[in-house]
Amino acid sequence: MEAGSNSSTVRRESEWKNRARMLISCPDQPGIVAAVSQFLYEYGANIVQSDQYTMDPEGGMFFIRIEFDLEDLADRVEKLRQDFSVIADKLSMSWSLSLASQKKRIAIFVSKEDHALLELLWHWRAGDLNADIAMVVSNHPDMRELVEPFGIPYHHIPVTAATKAEAEQKQLEVVGDKVDTIILARYMQIVSPTFIKHYANRIINIHHSFLPAFVGGKPYAQAHNRGVKIIGATAHYVTEELDGGPIIEQDVQRVSHRDNVEDLKRIGRHIERIVLARAVAWHVDDRVIVHNNKTVVFN
C-alpha cells in the first residue's frame, strides 16, 4: 500500500494542485507584508494561510510563511519566481517558493533500532507524511525484511572505522541528487563535514535530550544513576558541531525513582518517535526557517 493510495490523500493532492508555499526571512522594516500581499494579489493568487514572526521590532529579522492558491500554478511558477525576485532584492530577502504538489523525497538512514524508522513508515503509509520515501540506507542488514514489504529500496552499506570514508562515498553515490532530505532515524554513525556540506540544513537527526549532560555510551544508565526526573528527545538539523545544530522539535516526559533503566529506554523510544515524526512533517511541509543556529517553526 503506497502513501498516495487512500482517499484522504488523493483528495489532499487534488487540493494542492495549485497551492504554493513561500518562506521569507529579511531585515525587519515597514511594508514587507504589504509588498508580498500586493504582489500575490496582482498575480490573482489567493492567500490561504499566513504566519509571521519578528525577532526584534528595531533592527531585528522578520520571518513569514505564506500558502497561496494560484490557477495554472505549474505553468506560471517560473515567471512568478522571476517577478518576485525584484521585490526580494529590494527588501534584501532570503526566500524560497515550493509547490505543495511536488513532494519532497527523503532517504532514511538507520542502524539496528527500528522504532524511529517504523514511526516514519507508518505515517508515510497512512498518507500523513507529505513526502516520498525514496530509500532506506543502513550500515546493517537487520532492517531489510521490515522495509522491503513497503516497496522501498533498501541499501546495505557496511561501515567500519577502516572503511568509513569509502562507505560514505558509496552513500553519496546511492543518495546523490535523488533526495531532498536525509533523516537519521537512530543511525549510529557520525557523518562527515563533506557529507553534511552536500545537504546543508537538509539532514535531520534524533537523539535523547540528555546531551550534552550525559555524553558517551549508555546515556540512560547514566541518567538512571543520577536519578533524573525528566527525560526527552531532540530533533535537529545536522551541522559539523556534533549534536549542536538548529533544533526543530523537543519533548519530555516525567519519570521517577520507580523507573529502571529499561523503563527509561522504553519511554525514551516513545518520545524519540513522536519528536522525529513532528520534525520531519514540519520540514517537508516547509514550516521551518533556519536562521543562524536557531529555527523559526510555523506549526
Side-chain angles (χ1 to χ4, degrees):
M1 177 178 178
E2 293 184 353
S5 60
N6 63 50
S7 59
S8 63
T9 304
V10 171
R11 183 173 64 252
R12 192 183 309 159
E13 290 180 348
S14 176
E15 293 171 354
W16 285 343
K17 178 181 178 182
N18 289 313
R19 182 158 299 180
R21 306 180 183 121
M22 187 177 286
L23 291 176
I24 299 171
S25 59
C26 63
D28 193 19
Q29 56 197 293
I32 300 171
V33 175
V36 177
S37 300
Q38 183 66 24
F39 172 83
L40 293 175
Y41 168 76
E42 291 176 355
Y43 247 87
N46 179 43
I47 296 175
V48 295
Q49 188 176 59
S50 179
D51 297 285
Q52 64 191 63
Y53 169 68
T54 302
M55 291 181 65
D56 182 349
E58 296 182 7
M61 291 292 293
F62 178 84
F63 306 89
I64 187 168
R65 178 187 186 272
I66 295 178
E67 283 196 20
F68 62 89
D69 291 334
L70 179 64
E71 285 296 319
D72 301 318
L73 177 62
D75 296 330
R76 303 171 66 186
V77 65
E78 289 308 317
K79 181 68 164 56
L80 187 147
R81 284 192 176 105
Q82 293 174 13
D83 292 344
F84 186 75
S85 65
V86 177
I87 294 175
D89 291 344
K90 180 180 179 181
L91 297 175
S92 301
M93 292 178 173
S94 295
W95 64 286
S96 65
L97 190 153
S98 60
L99 306 187
S101 60
Q102 295 181 353
K103 294 182 179 181
K104 288 182 172 55
R105 292 174 59 79
I106 64 177
I108 302 175
F109 280 43
V110 65
S111 289
K112 288 188 173 183
E113 296 187 60
D114 63 5
H115 58 284
L117 168 66
L118 276 171
E119 189 74 13
L120 294 176
L121 292 175
W122 291 333
H123 280 262
W124 174 78
R125 186 169 65 179
D128 295 332
L129 180 63
N130 183 35
D132 288 328
I133 301 178
M135 66 187 76
V136 172
V137 179
S138 180
N139 54 327
H140 297 284
D142 303 53
M143 300 297 158
R144 184 183 296 277
E145 292 185 5
L146 185 154
V147 171
E148 289 187 340
F150 286 84
I152 299 170
Y154 186 90
H155 300 278
H156 173 217
I157 303 176
V159 181
T160 67
T163 65
K164 187 172 180 63
E166 179 185 348
E168 197 166 84
Q169 183 57 42
K170 290 181 180 178
Q171 292 170 347
L172 284 171
E173 292 172 1
V174 166
V175 177
D177 295 326
K178 302 181 185 73
V179 304
D180 304 290
T181 306
I182 293 174
I183 312 300
L184 306 184
R186 298 301 289 163
Y187 179 64
M188 307 307 290
Q189 295 286 327
I190 298 174
V191 294
S192 74
T194 300
F195 193 93
I196 294 170
K197 186 177 180 180
H198 278 82
Y199 307 98
N201 293 329
R202 292 188 293 143
I203 305 176
I204 298 174
N205 185 39
I206 184 69
H207 68 68
H208 48 79
S209 63
F210 302 126
L211 293 174
F214 298 105
V215 298
K218 300 182 178 180
Y220 288 102
Q222 295 183 59
H224 183 264
N225 290 338
R226 288 290 302 278
V228 300
K229 300 298 184 269
I230 293 177
I231 64 172
T234 300
H236 65 93
Y237 290 114
V238 176
T239 62
E240 293 185 25
E241 181 185 354
L242 182 62
D243 293 326
I247 293 171
I248 306 170
E249 172 63 340
Q250 294 178 296
D251 207 346
V252 296
Q253 183 170 327
R254 294 197 66 83
V255 295
S256 77
H257 58 276
R258 294 183 176 86
D259 295 307
N260 60 32
V261 174
E262 291 306 311
D263 291 330
L264 298 186
K265 289 181 179 179
R266 173 179 51 80
I267 296 168
R269 287 193 297 268
H270 176 71
I271 304 170
E272 288 172 7
R273 287 163 45 192
I274 294 172
V275 169
L276 181 61
R278 286 177 189 158
V280 174
W282 294 339
H283 173 86
V284 299
D285 283 344
D286 301 301
R287 295 187 176 276
V288 186
I289 299 177
V290 177
H291 177 66
N292 296 331
N293 202 47
K294 294 183 179 181
T295 61
V296 175
V297 182
F298 295 108
N299 52 28

